[in-house]
Amino acid sequence: MSAPFRCRDRRARMRGSLTALVVWLAVLTSAAAQPGVEVVAGGLGGTLVVPQGVSRPPVALIIAGSGPTDRNGTGPGVAFPYLRRLADGLAARGIASLRYDKRGIGASRTAAVPEERLRIGRFVDDAAIWIDWLRRRSDLGPVVAIGHSEGGLIATLMAARTQLYGLVLLNSPGRKFATILRQQLEPALASPLRDEALSVLAALERGERVTMVSPELTPLFRPSVQPYLLSLLPIDPAAALAAVTVPVLIVSGGRDLQVGTADAEALGRARPDAARWHDDHMNHVLASAPDDRDGNLRLYADPHAGLASGLVDAIAGFIIGPH
């Protein structure tokens, strides 16, 4: 069962506007969305979706998570286009969106930089490019950032330097990356490979590069990706969120295999005034998943999977509701 959408310190105001919000959502649920329009900014390709019949709708910048994930949320081993489904759902509720391919991916492939030059700050800069692009459009209203997984950290870091109407964190890390990674590696690897992985991670935490890693660990720790990891590891997502003053919605799932409820709790402690929405059955790609791990992972590869019930309404309610 999904927990009810709730906003702690804003509960009284939310109650006062509930009737208007329900009417608004009822009208917009049938709103037609224009087909996605291909757009380009800073050499990056994206898709802008604007609902028809809504004057200056609020607009969400949707930021994908880590790895070679495209604007729709798909990539190696992931065929469920959960970010596209999210954009479509928001459009049906009167909210525009812009989702984009990360640098080096899909339509943004020509903007690729050598892997050893990538830093987390580069992706923050890219998100800021799109925020500026959206703000220059007179047909769009206030801008909200929606970040999924690592995209939530990118959105948080961006929100600290540019004014937004709101920030939505979808299954986003609330603890340092090394803590999350160590939690994933320890049960997944057997010695001596586990010992090597933890040793490499410890060295990177100290700011040291490791020139030689076993072939089994190169997807994660290859020398060319270590500069990116070195830029990421010192960041405390909860501390970064505490520095953000805009309204925040924290979304979490009880069957998320990558980011745990401990992360949502850490983010909530950093921003106790944040709105929270939790679904006990939602997995990392925002689908309602079975309890068994294999069944959960099969949803990643299912192009016909659906978003968790109530998720889009919770996000739309946060964006449209009073801040």
Side-chain angles (χ1 to χ4, degrees), residues 212-265:
M212 298 291 293
V213 296
S214 295
E216 296 90 343
L217 297 178
T218 55
L220 181 60
F221 292 128
R222 59 191 177 276
S224 60
V225 81
Q226 289 182 26
Y228 183 80
L229 294 174
L230 288 170
S231 75
L232 178 63
L233 290 174
I235 300 173
D236 182 342
L241 183 62
V244 172
T245 58
V246 301
V248 176
L249 169 63
I250 301 168
V251 172
S252 56
R255 292 179 177 164
D256 189 334
L257 300 176
Q258 277 92 346
V259 177
T261 55
D263 292 280
E265 291 167 359

Short mmCIF file of all heavy atoms in Angstrom, two decimals, residues 212-265:
data_model
loop_
_atom_site.label_atom_id
_atom_site.label_comp_id
_atom_site.label_asym_id
_atom_site.label_seq_id
_atom_site.Cartn_x
_atom_site.Cartn_y
_atom_site.Cartn_z
N MET A 212 45.67 -0.44 -10.73
CA MET A 212 45.42 -1.82 -11.13
C MET A 212 44.22 -2.38 -10.36
O MET A 212 44.22 -2.38 -9.13
CB MET A 212 46.66 -2.70 -10.86
CG MET A 212 47.90 -2.27 -11.65
SD MET A 212 47.72 -2.58 -13.42
CE MET A 212 47.69 -4.38 -13.42
N VAL A 213 43.22 -2.84 -11.13
CA VAL A 213 42.08 -3.50 -10.51
C VAL A 213 41.78 -4.77 -11.30
O VAL A 213 42.09 -4.86 -12.49
CB VAL A 213 40.82 -2.60 -10.47
CG1 VAL A 213 41.06 -1.38 -9.61
CG2 VAL A 213 40.40 -2.19 -11.87
N SER A 214 41.20 -5.74 -10.64
CA SER A 214 40.86 -6.99 -11.32
C SER A 214 39.84 -6.75 -12.42
O SER A 214 39.01 -5.82 -12.32
CB SER A 214 40.28 -7.99 -10.31
OG SER A 214 41.25 -8.35 -9.35
N PRO A 215 39.88 -7.57 -13.48
CA PRO A 215 38.94 -7.38 -14.59
C PRO A 215 37.48 -7.36 -14.13
O PRO A 215 36.66 -6.61 -14.69
CB PRO A 215 39.22 -8.58 -15.49
CG PRO A 215 40.63 -8.94 -15.21
CD PRO A 215 40.84 -8.65 -13.75
N GLU A 216 37.15 -8.16 -13.13
CA GLU A 216 35.76 -8.20 -12.65
C GLU A 216 35.31 -6.87 -12.05
O GLU A 216 34.11 -6.58 -11.98
CB GLU A 216 35.59 -9.31 -11.60
CG GLU A 216 35.84 -10.71 -12.12
CD GLU A 216 37.29 -11.13 -12.00
OE1 GLU A 216 38.17 -10.24 -11.83
OE2 GLU A 216 37.54 -12.34 -12.06
N LEU A 217 36.27 -6.06 -11.62
CA LEU A 217 35.93 -4.79 -10.97
C LEU A 217 36.08 -3.58 -11.89
O LEU A 217 35.76 -2.47 -11.50
CB LEU A 217 36.81 -4.59 -9.73
CG LEU A 217 36.65 -5.62 -8.62
CD1 LEU A 217 37.63 -5.32 -7.49
CD2 LEU A 217 35.21 -5.66 -8.10
N THR A 218 36.55 -3.82 -13.12
CA THR A 218 36.77 -2.68 -14.02
C THR A 218 35.48 -1.94 -14.38
O THR A 218 35.54 -0.71 -14.60
CB THR A 218 37.51 -3.11 -15.30
OG1 THR A 218 36.78 -4.18 -15.92
CG2 THR A 218 38.92 -3.54 -14.99
N PRO A 219 34.31 -2.58 -14.48
CA PRO A 219 33.12 -1.79 -14.78
C PRO A 219 32.86 -0.69 -13.76
O PRO A 219 32.30 0.36 -14.09
CB PRO A 219 31.99 -2.84 -14.78
CG PRO A 219 32.67 -4.11 -15.14
CD PRO A 219 34.01 -4.03 -14.46
N LEU A 220 33.26 -0.94 -12.53
CA LEU A 220 33.01 0.03 -11.47
C LEU A 220 34.21 0.90 -11.14
O LEU A 220 34.07 2.10 -10.88
CB LEU A 220 32.57 -0.72 -10.20
CG LEU A 220 32.23 0.12 -8.97
CD1 LEU A 220 31.08 1.08 -9.27
CD2 LEU A 220 31.87 -0.80 -7.80
N PHE A 221 35.43 0.31 -11.18
CA PHE A 221 36.61 1.00 -10.68
C PHE A 221 37.71 1.22 -11.72
O PHE A 221 38.85 1.47 -11.34
CB PHE A 221 37.21 0.22 -9.50
CG PHE A 221 36.34 0.20 -8.27
CD1 PHE A 221 36.02 -1.00 -7.64
CD2 PHE A 221 35.86 1.37 -7.71
CE1 PHE A 221 35.26 -1.04 -6.49
CE2 PHE A 221 35.08 1.36 -6.56
CZ PHE A 221 34.78 0.15 -5.95
N ARG A 222 37.40 1.10 -13.01
CA ARG A 222 38.44 1.29 -14.01
C ARG A 222 39.11 2.66 -13.81
O ARG A 222 38.46 3.62 -13.38
CB ARG A 222 37.88 1.16 -15.42
CG ARG A 222 36.78 2.14 -15.76
CD ARG A 222 36.09 1.78 -17.08
NE ARG A 222 35.00 2.68 -17.37
CZ ARG A 222 33.77 2.54 -16.88
NH1 ARG A 222 33.49 1.56 -16.05
NH2 ARG A 222 32.82 3.41 -17.22
N PRO A 223 40.41 2.77 -14.11
CA PRO A 223 41.12 4.02 -13.85
C PRO A 223 40.49 5.25 -14.48
O PRO A 223 40.52 6.34 -13.89
CB PRO A 223 42.52 3.75 -14.43
CG PRO A 223 42.68 2.26 -14.28
CD PRO A 223 41.31 1.68 -14.54
N SER A 224 39.87 5.09 -15.67
CA SER A 224 39.31 6.26 -16.35
C SER A 224 38.07 6.81 -15.66
O SER A 224 37.73 7.99 -15.85
CB SER A 224 38.98 5.91 -17.80
OG SER A 224 38.04 4.86 -17.86
N VAL A 225 37.39 6.00 -14.85
CA VAL A 225 36.19 6.48 -14.16
C VAL A 225 36.53 6.97 -12.74
O VAL A 225 35.69 7.61 -12.10
CB VAL A 225 35.11 5.38 -14.11
CG1 VAL A 225 35.37 4.38 -12.98
CG2 VAL A 225 33.71 5.98 -13.97
N GLN A 226 37.73 6.70 -12.28
CA GLN A 226 38.07 7.08 -10.92
C GLN A 226 38.05 8.59 -10.67
O GLN A 226 37.64 9.03 -9.58
CB GLN A 226 39.43 6.49 -10.54
CG GLN A 226 39.37 4.97 -10.35
CD GLN A 226 40.70 4.37 -9.94
OE1 GLN A 226 41.55 5.04 -9.34
NE2 GLN A 226 40.89 3.10 -10.25
N PRO A 227 38.42 9.43 -11.63
CA PRO A 227 38.29 10.87 -11.36
C PRO A 227 36.84 11.29 -11.07
O PRO A 227 36.61 12.16 -10.22
CB PRO A 227 38.81 11.51 -12.66
CG PRO A 227 39.78 10.51 -13.20
CD PRO A 227 39.17 9.18 -12.88
N TYR A 228 35.91 10.66 -11.77
CA TYR A 228 34.50 10.96 -11.48
C TYR A 228 34.14 10.52 -10.07
O TYR A 228 33.50 11.26 -9.32
CB TYR A 228 33.59 10.27 -12.50
CG TYR A 228 32.13 10.60 -12.29
CD1 TYR A 228 31.61 11.80 -12.74
CD2 TYR A 228 31.28 9.73 -11.60
CE1 TYR A 228 30.27 12.13 -12.54
CE2 TYR A 228 29.95 10.05 -11.38
CZ TYR A 228 29.45 11.25 -11.86
OH TYR A 228 28.13 11.57 -11.63
N LEU A 229 34.57 9.32 -9.69
CA LEU A 229 34.29 8.82 -8.35
C LEU A 229 34.93 9.72 -7.29
O LEU A 229 34.32 9.99 -6.25
CB LEU A 229 34.79 7.39 -8.21
CG LEU A 229 34.08 6.33 -9.06
CD1 LEU A 229 34.77 4.98 -8.91
CD2 LEU A 229 32.61 6.22 -8.69
N LEU A 230 36.12 10.20 -7.56
CA LEU A 230 36.79 11.07 -6.61
C LEU A 230 36.03 12.39 -6.42
O LEU A 230 36.08 13.00 -5.35
CB LEU A 230 38.22 11.36 -7.08
CG LEU A 230 39.21 10.19 -6.98
CD1 LEU A 230 40.51 10.51 -7.69
CD2 LEU A 230 39.46 9.84 -5.52
N SER A 231 35.32 12.83 -7.48
CA SER A 231 34.51 14.05 -7.34
C SER A 231 33.21 13.79 -6.62
O SER A 231 32.61 14.70 -6.04
CB SER A 231 34.23 14.63 -8.73
OG SER A 231 33.23 13.88 -9.44
N LEU A 232 32.75 12.53 -6.65
CA LEU A 232 31.46 12.18 -6.08
C LEU A 232 31.54 11.76 -4.62
O LEU A 232 30.68 12.11 -3.80
CB LEU A 232 30.85 11.03 -6.90
CG LEU A 232 29.51 10.46 -6.48
CD1 LEU A 232 28.42 11.51 -6.56
CD2 LEU A 232 29.16 9.24 -7.34
N LEU A 233 32.58 11.01 -4.26
CA LEU A 233 32.66 10.39 -2.94
C LEU A 233 32.62 11.38 -1.77
O LEU A 233 32.05 11.06 -0.72
CB LEU A 233 33.92 9.52 -2.85
CG LEU A 233 33.89 8.24 -3.70
CD1 LEU A 233 35.24 7.54 -3.65
CD2 LEU A 233 32.79 7.31 -3.22
N PRO A 234 33.21 12.57 -1.86
CA PRO A 234 33.18 13.46 -0.69
C PRO A 234 31.82 14.08 -0.42
O PRO A 234 31.61 14.66 0.66
CB PRO A 234 34.21 14.55 -1.05
CG PRO A 234 35.01 13.99 -2.17
CD PRO A 234 34.09 13.10 -2.93
N ILE A 235 30.89 13.99 -1.35
CA ILE A 235 29.62 14.71 -1.22
C ILE A 235 28.67 13.96 -0.28
O ILE A 235 28.43 12.77 -0.44
CB ILE A 235 28.95 14.90 -2.60
CG1 ILE A 235 29.87 15.71 -3.52
CG2 ILE A 235 27.61 15.59 -2.45
CD1 ILE A 235 29.37 15.79 -4.95
N ASP A 236 28.13 14.69 0.66
CA ASP A 236 27.10 14.17 1.56
C ASP A 236 25.75 14.68 1.05
O ASP A 236 25.44 15.88 1.19
CB ASP A 236 27.34 14.65 2.99
CG ASP A 236 26.33 14.10 3.98
OD1 ASP A 236 25.26 13.62 3.54
OD2 ASP A 236 26.59 14.15 5.20
N PRO A 237 24.93 13.84 0.43
CA PRO A 237 23.66 14.32 -0.15
C PRO A 237 22.75 14.98 0.87
O PRO A 237 22.07 15.97 0.55
CB PRO A 237 23.03 13.04 -0.71
CG PRO A 237 24.17 12.12 -0.95
CD PRO A 237 25.14 12.40 0.16
N ALA A 238 22.72 14.46 2.10
CA ALA A 238 21.85 15.05 3.11
C ALA A 238 22.31 16.45 3.48
O ALA A 238 21.51 17.38 3.61
CB ALA A 238 21.81 14.16 4.35
N ALA A 239 23.62 16.62 3.63
CA ALA A 239 24.15 17.96 3.94
C ALA A 239 23.88 18.92 2.79
O ALA A 239 23.57 20.10 3.01
CB ALA A 239 25.64 17.86 4.23
N ALA A 240 24.00 18.42 1.56
CA ALA A 240 23.71 19.27 0.39
C ALA A 240 22.25 19.69 0.39
O ALA A 240 21.92 20.84 0.07
CB ALA A 240 24.08 18.53 -0.89
N LEU A 241 21.36 18.76 0.73
CA LEU A 241 19.93 19.10 0.75
C LEU A 241 19.61 20.10 1.85
O LEU A 241 18.74 20.96 1.68
CB LEU A 241 19.10 17.83 0.92
CG LEU A 241 17.59 18.03 0.89
CD1 LEU A 241 17.14 18.59 -0.45
CD2 LEU A 241 16.86 16.72 1.19
N ALA A 242 20.29 20.00 2.98
CA ALA A 242 20.04 20.93 4.09
C ALA A 242 20.32 22.37 3.68
O ALA A 242 19.75 23.30 4.26
CB ALA A 242 20.90 20.55 5.29
N ALA A 243 21.18 22.56 2.68
CA ALA A 243 21.51 23.91 2.22
C ALA A 243 20.52 24.45 1.20
O ALA A 243 20.61 25.60 0.79
CB ALA A 243 22.92 23.91 1.61
N VAL A 244 19.56 23.61 0.79
CA VAL A 244 18.56 24.01 -0.21
C VAL A 244 17.34 24.55 0.51
O VAL A 244 16.83 23.93 1.45
CB VAL A 244 18.18 22.81 -1.10
CG1 VAL A 244 17.01 23.16 -2.01
CG2 VAL A 244 19.39 22.38 -1.92
N THR A 245 16.84 25.69 0.08
CA THR A 245 15.73 26.34 0.77
C THR A 245 14.39 26.17 0.07
O THR A 245 13.36 26.52 0.65
CB THR A 245 16.02 27.84 0.94
OG1 THR A 245 16.22 28.44 -0.36
CG2 THR A 245 17.26 28.07 1.79
N VAL A 246 14.35 25.65 -1.16
CA VAL A 246 13.09 25.52 -1.87
C VAL A 246 12.29 24.35 -1.32
O VAL A 246 12.85 23.45 -0.67
CB VAL A 246 13.33 25.33 -3.38
CG1 VAL A 246 14.10 26.51 -3.96
CG2 VAL A 246 14.04 24.03 -3.67
N PRO A 247 10.98 24.32 -1.55
CA PRO A 247 10.17 23.18 -1.12
C PRO A 247 10.67 21.88 -1.74
O PRO A 247 11.10 21.85 -2.89
CB PRO A 247 8.76 23.53 -1.62
CG PRO A 247 8.76 25.02 -1.71
CD PRO A 247 10.14 25.40 -2.13
N VAL A 248 10.59 20.80 -0.97
CA VAL A 248 11.14 19.51 -1.39
C VAL A 248 10.12 18.41 -1.19
O VAL A 248 9.40 18.39 -0.18
CB VAL A 248 12.42 19.17 -0.59
CG1 VAL A 248 12.94 17.79 -0.94
CG2 VAL A 248 13.50 20.23 -0.81
N LEU A 249 10.05 17.49 -2.15
CA LEU A 249 9.29 16.25 -2.02
C LEU A 249 10.27 15.08 -2.11
O LEU A 249 11.02 14.97 -3.08
CB LEU A 249 8.25 16.13 -3.13
CG LEU A 249 7.55 14.75 -3.26
CD1 LEU A 249 6.76 14.42 -1.99
CD2 LEU A 249 6.65 14.72 -4.49
N ILE A 250 10.28 14.22 -1.10
CA ILE A 250 11.15 13.05 -1.06
C ILE A 250 10.29 11.81 -1.34
O ILE A 250 9.36 11.52 -0.60
CB ILE A 250 11.85 12.93 0.31
CG1 ILE A 250 12.68 14.18 0.59
CG2 ILE A 250 12.70 11.67 0.36
CD1 ILE A 250 13.17 14.27 2.03
N VAL A 251 10.63 11.09 -2.41
CA VAL A 251 9.88 9.90 -2.82
C VAL A 251 10.77 8.67 -2.63
O VAL A 251 11.94 8.68 -3.02
CB VAL A 251 9.44 10.02 -4.30
CG1 VAL A 251 8.83 8.71 -4.79
CG2 VAL A 251 8.46 11.17 -4.47
N SER A 252 10.21 7.62 -2.03
CA SER A 252 11.00 6.41 -1.78
C SER A 252 10.15 5.17 -1.99
O SER A 252 8.91 5.22 -1.96
CB SER A 252 11.57 6.42 -0.36
OG SER A 252 10.53 6.57 0.60
N GLY A 253 10.83 4.04 -2.21
CA GLY A 253 10.15 2.77 -2.42
C GLY A 253 10.69 1.69 -1.51
O GLY A 253 11.91 1.58 -1.30
N GLY A 254 9.81 0.87 -0.97
CA GLY A 254 10.23 -0.18 -0.05
C GLY A 254 10.92 -1.35 -0.71
O GLY A 254 11.53 -2.17 -0.01
N ARG A 255 10.85 -1.46 -2.04
CA ARG A 255 11.51 -2.55 -2.75
C ARG A 255 12.58 -2.04 -3.70
O ARG A 255 12.86 -2.65 -4.73
CB ARG A 255 10.45 -3.41 -3.47
CG ARG A 255 9.59 -4.15 -2.46
CD ARG A 255 8.51 -5.00 -3.05
NE ARG A 255 7.80 -5.71 -1.96
CZ ARG A 255 6.62 -6.29 -2.08
NH1 ARG A 255 5.99 -6.29 -3.26
NH2 ARG A 255 6.07 -6.89 -1.05
N ASP A 256 13.17 -0.93 -3.32
CA ASP A 256 14.28 -0.35 -4.07
C ASP A 256 15.54 -1.12 -3.72
O ASP A 256 15.95 -1.16 -2.56
CB ASP A 256 14.43 1.12 -3.69
CG ASP A 256 15.42 1.87 -4.56
OD1 ASP A 256 16.34 1.22 -5.12
OD2 ASP A 256 15.30 3.10 -4.67
N LEU A 257 16.15 -1.75 -4.73
CA LEU A 257 17.35 -2.56 -4.50
C LEU A 257 18.63 -1.74 -4.55
O LEU A 257 19.70 -2.24 -4.18
CB LEU A 257 17.42 -3.68 -5.56
CG LEU A 257 16.26 -4.66 -5.58
CD1 LEU A 257 16.41 -5.65 -6.73
CD2 LEU A 257 16.13 -5.38 -4.24
N GLN A 258 18.57 -0.51 -5.00
CA GLN A 258 19.76 0.33 -5.10
C GLN A 258 19.86 1.37 -3.99
O GLN A 258 20.92 1.58 -3.43
CB GLN A 258 19.80 1.04 -6.47
CG GLN A 258 20.38 0.19 -7.57
CD GLN A 258 19.29 -0.59 -8.31
OE1 GLN A 258 18.16 -0.71 -7.88
NE2 GLN A 258 19.65 -1.14 -9.45
N VAL A 259 18.77 2.04 -3.72
CA VAL A 259 18.74 3.10 -2.70
C VAL A 259 17.73 2.69 -1.64
O VAL A 259 16.58 2.41 -1.96
CB VAL A 259 18.37 4.45 -3.32
CG1 VAL A 259 18.29 5.53 -2.24
CG2 VAL A 259 19.39 4.86 -4.39
N GLY A 260 18.15 2.64 -0.38
CA GLY A 260 17.29 2.12 0.67
C GLY A 260 16.48 3.19 1.37
O GLY A 260 16.66 4.39 1.16
N THR A 261 15.58 2.74 2.23
CA THR A 261 14.78 3.68 3.00
C THR A 261 15.64 4.51 3.94
O THR A 261 15.26 5.62 4.33
CB THR A 261 13.72 2.92 3.83
OG1 THR A 261 14.36 1.93 4.63
CG2 THR A 261 12.70 2.25 2.91
N ALA A 262 16.83 4.00 4.29
CA ALA A 262 17.75 4.78 5.13
C ALA A 262 18.15 6.07 4.43
O ALA A 262 18.42 7.09 5.10
CB ALA A 262 19.00 3.96 5.45
N ASP A 263 18.18 6.05 3.10
CA ASP A 263 18.53 7.26 2.36
C ASP A 263 17.42 8.29 2.44
O ASP A 263 17.67 9.48 2.67
CB ASP A 263 18.83 6.90 0.91
CG ASP A 263 20.10 6.08 0.78
OD1 ASP A 263 21.19 6.67 0.81
OD2 ASP A 263 20.01 4.85 0.66
N ALA A 264 16.17 7.85 2.25
CA ALA A 264 15.04 8.78 2.38
C ALA A 264 14.97 9.34 3.79
O ALA A 264 14.66 10.53 3.99
CB ALA A 264 13.75 8.07 2.01
N GLU A 265 15.26 8.51 4.78
CA GLU A 265 15.23 8.98 6.17
C GLU A 265 16.31 10.03 6.42
O GLU A 265 16.08 11.02 7.12
CB GLU A 265 15.39 7.80 7.11
CG GLU A 265 14.17 6.86 7.12
CD GLU A 265 14.45 5.55 7.81
OE1 GLU A 265 15.61 5.35 8.27
OE2 GLU A 265 13.53 4.72 7.90
#
